[in-house]
Amino acid sequence: MGPGGYNGGSVSWRVGGLAYDPFDSTGNTLYAATPKGGIWRTEDNGQSWQPLSDKEFSLSFSCIEVSPFDPDVLFAGTGDYHGGNGPGFGILKSIDRGQTWKNYGKVEFGTASIRRIMPHPIQPNIVFATAGRNGLLRSIDEGETWTQTLTAVQLATIATAATAGPDPTGVSNITFNSGFSTLYISIDNVGIYFSEDDGQTWTVMPGAPTGVGRFDVATSKLGSRRKQRTLYVMHGGAGGADGTISKGEPPIDNVDGTIAFTALGDSPRGNVGGRAVWDQKSYNFYIGTTSATVIDPGLPTATPPLGPYPVAQDVIYIGLIEVWVSVDSGALWQFVPTHHVDQHSITVSPFNRNELLMGSDGGVRKLNLIAQAINPFHTAQPMPAPPPVPNPWGPRRRYSVFLSLI
């Protein structure tokens, strides 16, 4: 479905960024950012797509966001973050749903490819954008002027670390905790920083994974005090070794205590279908979260028997060559069928936490976990990867070509 497809030629190519329109409760209005075809929108659940950026300086984009306060306001991040095939030139902002655009931050961002733009969820004037080796920039006037939030020492650390591992490097993601009181950023070849003053200053996250390799970060979406202090860190590691997923959380009996990090031992690893799960981790790499209420089967053989009961759990997605999901806060993992390999982006519907959009080298797929019969209580063995499933959103081939209307 949608703009995408890959053959190395003049096509929209991979889909690096996705967004729902949070004001369209039908879930039919979606946006996609591509590195060779620009920004696209569908208003009919993917049956047809309209290009929005063909008149702009470049068609190279890695992310797209809709303002949570105004559906007419869009932010697009330029450059090809995932493949490095197009330089960035700042932020494009539209106030008319993509009919026209203005370019901001061209000097401040330089040629950095922008992987993530995040409007502040409760303060309309504040917007954040990752800038790779150029750090993390913040706007307090709805994206029209931008300032660096990292110190000279922190930027020097990123610059030094950039020589230690493969591209991409630098600040890769930003996210809030569920209470909107703490921000986290992931920095490739460095680790995790946090901020408790709306991103004005940043500190190294104590105890979080560090080292060579790509990093990404996501937080629990549940609202308890303990869950507001729970985060998940994806670390690619060096060379061809498997990466790790780590969970950081305070003690269960002291929700304000020190956050401790534990590697999730059953996270995806090894080989599936003859290919290493973490192969191409410098190209395919993300982690995202939502939440779900699942039914624990209880302990029917206990004395007295414990029957089934509902449990609120974090749902965690990781995108590598394939997509994997845990619906029990990272204890166990399952393979998620997709229509194409090489995963780059994911976003969960604001109206249905079981529905998500996935962007890959093959375009966009909308998936419903319930329809895929993702089971929260399964065996510890990862499910084997089945053959690619047909994409229900229109005719597609495994390598489809979608021409940009230039």
Side-chain angles (χ1 to χ4, degrees):
M1 163 242 166
Y6 168 80
N7 72 351
S10 298
V11 296
S12 290
W13 218 344
R14 74 188 76 85
V15 175
L18 293 162
Y20 282 85
D21 181 340
F23 294 87
D24 178 6
S25 60
T26 68
N28 290 336
T29 302
L30 316 168
Y31 292 86
T34 67
K36 281 197 171 182
I39 303 299
W40 299 72
R41 180 177 64 230
T42 176
E43 297 177 292
D44 55 13
N45 200 33
Q47 297 303 309
S48 62
W49 290 79
Q50 299 79 44
L52 302 180
S53 59
D54 283 354
K55 297 180 181 180
E56 299 310 312
F57 174 77
S58 170
L59 293 179
S60 184
F61 293 87
S62 287
C63 62
I64 177 73
E65 291 293 336
V66 183
S67 167
F69 305 97
D70 185 345
D72 291 338
V73 177
L74 310 178
F75 301 95
T78 63
D80 179 12
Y81 176 86
H82 300 91
N85 291 290
F89 54 99
I91 300 288
L92 290 190
K93 178 184 176 181
S94 173
I95 59 173
D96 53 16
R97 298 186 77 234
Q99 294 183 57
T100 60
W101 300 85
K102 287 188 177 181
N103 187 192
Y104 298 102
K106 189 173 181 179
V107 172
E108 292 83 358
F109 287 95
T111 59
S113 295
I114 300 166
R115 185 194 182 200
R116 180 79 196 279
I117 300 171
M118 188 182 73
H120 196 294
I122 56 177
Q123 296 192 43
N125 293 333
I126 298 178
V127 186
F128 300 93
T130 65
R133 299 184 190 187
N134 290 354
L136 178 80
L137 281 82
R138 180 177 184 261
S139 171
I140 58 173
D141 57 8
E142 298 184 75
E144 297 193 3
T145 61
W146 295 85
T147 56
Q148 180 63 248
T149 67
L150 300 181
T151 67
V153 172
Q154 290 168 334
L155 290 170
T157 298
I158 292 173
T160 300
T163 65
D167 287 334
T169 61
V171 179
S172 58
N173 200 8
I174 179 170
T175 187
F176 262 109
N177 71 336
S178 61
F180 308 135
S181 60
T182 304
L183 281 157
Y184 299 96
I185 56 174
S186 54
I187 307 175
D188 295 326
N189 300 312
V190 176
I192 307 298
Y193 287 6
F194 75 98
S195 171
E196 294 179 329
D197 57 7
D198 273 334
Q200 297 180 73
T201 60
W202 294 88
T203 304
V204 173
M205 184 70 204
T210 60
V212 173
R214 292 190 66 180
F215 280 90
D216 205 347
V217 61
T219 57
S220 171
K221 298 300 184 285
L222 297 172
S224 71
R225 174 60 180 164
R226 187 166 189 248
K227 286 297 186 179
Q228 288 185 35
R229 305 188 69 224
T230 297
L231 65 155
Y232 297 90
V233 177
M234 186 175 182
H235 180 204
D242 287 337
T244 59
I245 310 296
S246 297
K247 181 179 183 179
E249 59 185 350
I252 194 169
D253 58 350
N254 182 11
V255 296
D256 293 312
T258 300
I259 294 175
F261 286 83
T262 304
L264 301 177
D266 286 325
S267 57
R269 59 188 183 277
N271 292 273
V272 172
R275 190 173 185 182
V277 169
W278 290 80
D279 191 18
Q280 293 191 176
K281 59 192 176 185
S282 64
Y283 179 60
N284 315 302
F285 197 87
Y286 69 70
I287 186 169
T289 54
T290 182
S291 63
T293 300
V294 299
I295 303 300
D296 190 300
L299 295 171
T301 60
T303 304
L306 177 63
Y309 59 95
V311 181
Q313 295 278 16
D314 294 324
V315 178
I316 312 162
Y317 300 96
I318 61 171
L320 294 163
I321 294 174
E322 305 287 359
V323 177
W324 301 80
V325 62
S326 169
V327 293
D328 53 11
S329 303
L332 300 172
W333 296 81
Q334 297 178 76
F335 173 87
V336 178
T338 62
H339 73 289
H340 202 286
V341 296
D342 295 335
Q343 313 303 319
H344 302 294
S345 56
I346 191 170
T347 187
V348 178
S349 167
F351 312 109
N352 179 1
R353 62 188 178 185
N354 292 308
E355 179 185 283
L356 56 146
L357 296 175
M358 297 183 294
S360 70
D361 275 10
V364 184
R365 179 172 174 79
K366 183 182 264 190
L367 187 74
N368 189 291
L369 287 186
I370 294 177
Q372 291 292 334
I374 300 297
N375 177 10
F377 296 100
H378 52 79
T379 61
Q381 289 296 321
M383 296 168 60
V389 297
N391 185 353
W393 289 12
R396 295 295 305 276
R397 294 182 182 273
R398 185 169 175 79
Y399 285 89
S400 299
V401 177
F402 289 80
L403 296 177
S404 175
L405 304 178
I406 301 175

